[in-house]
Amino acid sequence: MEVSRHWRLNEQRYALIGETCDSCGTKLFPPRDVCLECEAPAKELYTFTGVGEIYSYTTVYEAPAGFAEYAPYTVALVKLEEGPVVTAQLTDVAKADLHIGMKVEMVTRKLRTDGSEGMIIYGYKFRPQLEMA
Amino acid sequence: MTNVSIIGLGQTDVKEHWQTSLRHLAWYAIEAALDNAHINKVDGIFVANMLAGPLSGQQHLGALIADFSGLRGVEAVTVEAADASGGAALRQAVMAVQSGLMETALVVGVEKMTDLVGSPVTSALALALDADYETVHGMTPAAVGALLMRRYMYEYGVQVADFAGFSVNAHANGAVNPLAMFRNKLRADRFASAPLVADPVTLFDAAPTGDGAAAVIVTNYERAQDMVPQPIRIAGSAIATDTLAIHDRKEMLWLAAAQKSAARAMAAAGVSHDDIDVLELHDAFTVLAALSLEAIGFAERGEGWKLARDGEIGRNGRIPISTFGGLKARGNPGGATGVYQIVEVARQLRGEAGDNQVSGATIGMAQCLGSAGATAVTHVLSK
């Protein structure tokens, strides 16, 4: 069982909580406690809006264990509007519509299941940004 | 310039060695290297390996391989830096000999990829990525290569077919290397239409994993002169690191660690780009070959692919690469790959490369990468 190693990341997986650098204000996701830009401490929590755009994407045909049942699936680098780039799967999108620069937003989805009796791991994926009514 | 020279080389063929265990593969390469150096003992062993734990259920390879090779008692440890393990292990041996703590050190890279097949192997390879922020989303090394390739194509306006020259060159060289995993030639017009691994990376773009072992024995420069007819000097040696995950890189299409380690190794060796006659680089995916050529300084940013298009990477070109097939055709035995590169460059400099010989090669470079350049190890060798 891997409960603790997933549970300790629930703020990141479910709410996209990262950090802000105390010194230069750079927003960090994933959180890393030391700023990527200036190496100053970065421990203030920051909740990202979850809005961004596709920086690059790929459809995976040869999947690792735990993902074979979902293959082919699409993984992207999403550049969040606050700056950081995150790796995540895309969902609710037709492959023909995919393009670099596509506006996307975070949603919570099942990432994978550890067999029939194991954990179900949830986390962020991204979908095309819905139009505001 | 380091005070370290290579006195022995050994390698097995790279393939699916169904009948041969991890320990036997390592021993075959060690036996060949000891014979080649005309010695029967060493002061220490640095084992390069990436996946014996997850694939063979075997770790503690230092003791295992020292024991199995009849070298019980010597200092022996495993060095792991994903598929840069081989270069990283040699770096440890260089430091050991340079410092004087060891007189003679053995580096053996060994990887047994075929003890499992299918998705468990893909999972094992993905251990080199960020488990919490990449792998949990279904990322694989091929997917990382694909993300970089698509962005490269977008930013620099190139097509999938523009990368074909790297694989065509690798297979042309692999075709005449009896130890290569793939000895078939590849047609450029078939490259883009091969089956997809991770769009746009195809089967003809991604290097195949295979079983294999390679070994290198080093000692100090003065001693080497008296031991073998053609000692090969390790002129420069450097490791650099970058962010583990590509998503944390400010310039995603720039292999910063590859640049740093190459610049440090070249400065230590006192060589410039024009001096380098042969280059083994980390062509696990064609985009990594292009990015490596740019980072090392053989091409401007966004133009590495042009060297392949223009035939400059062939054995008679400006900068021959993958001269025995590279990762793409010789095969990619994970942690052993970096040691294969050293064996191949040393054979080029000795003039022992047979049909793969780059004529008149006197200075060569080998660079291996851990995943997409999170670790980069560069060695410059000279006659």
Side-chain angles (χ1 to χ4, degrees), chain A residues 17 46-47 57 90 133:
Chain A
I17 293 177
Y46 174 82
T47 304
Y57 62 94
L90 298 178

Side-chain angles (χ1 to χ4, degrees), chain B residues 10 22 25-30 45-49 61 65-66 69 77 79 85-86 89-90 105-111 212-217 335-336 339:
Chain B
L22 180 90
L25 282 170
W27 163 238
Y28 295 152
I30 291 170
I45 305 174
F46 296 94
V47 179
N49 176 267
L61 300 187
I65 289 168
S69 304
V77 292
V79 177
S85 300
L90 177 63
L106 166 70
V107 178
V108 59
V110 59
E111 204 68 65
V216 168
I217 297 171
V339 186

Side-chain angles (χ1 to χ4, degrees), chain A residues 58 60 62-65 73 75 87, chain B residues 50-51 82-83 113 119-130 134-135 138-149 197-199 201 205-207 209 244 246 282 284-288 327 332 334 369-373:
Chain A
T58 179
V60 177
E62 288 187 7
Y73 52 88
V75 183
T87 298
Chain B
M50 177 182 177
L51 297 173
D83 31 358
M113 291 282 189
S119 63
V121 180
T122 307
S123 293
L125 292 165
L127 292 170
L129 308 178
D130 185 324
E134 290 182 305
T135 319
M139 284 294 285
T140 64
V144 172
L147 292 171
L148 291 175
M149 186 172 175
V197 177
D199 184 18
V201 167
D205 182 294
T209 56
L244 181 65
I246 60 167
H282 200 82
F285 305 100
T286 58
V287 69
L288 287 184
L327 279 67
N332 180 11
L369 305 180
S371 59

Side-chain angles (χ1 to χ4, degrees), chain B residues 103-117:
Chain B
E103 191 169 60
T104 306
L106 166 70
V107 178
V108 59
V110 59
E111 204 68 65
K112 183 68 192 157
M113 291 282 189
T114 58
D115 276 351
L116 292 174
V117 293

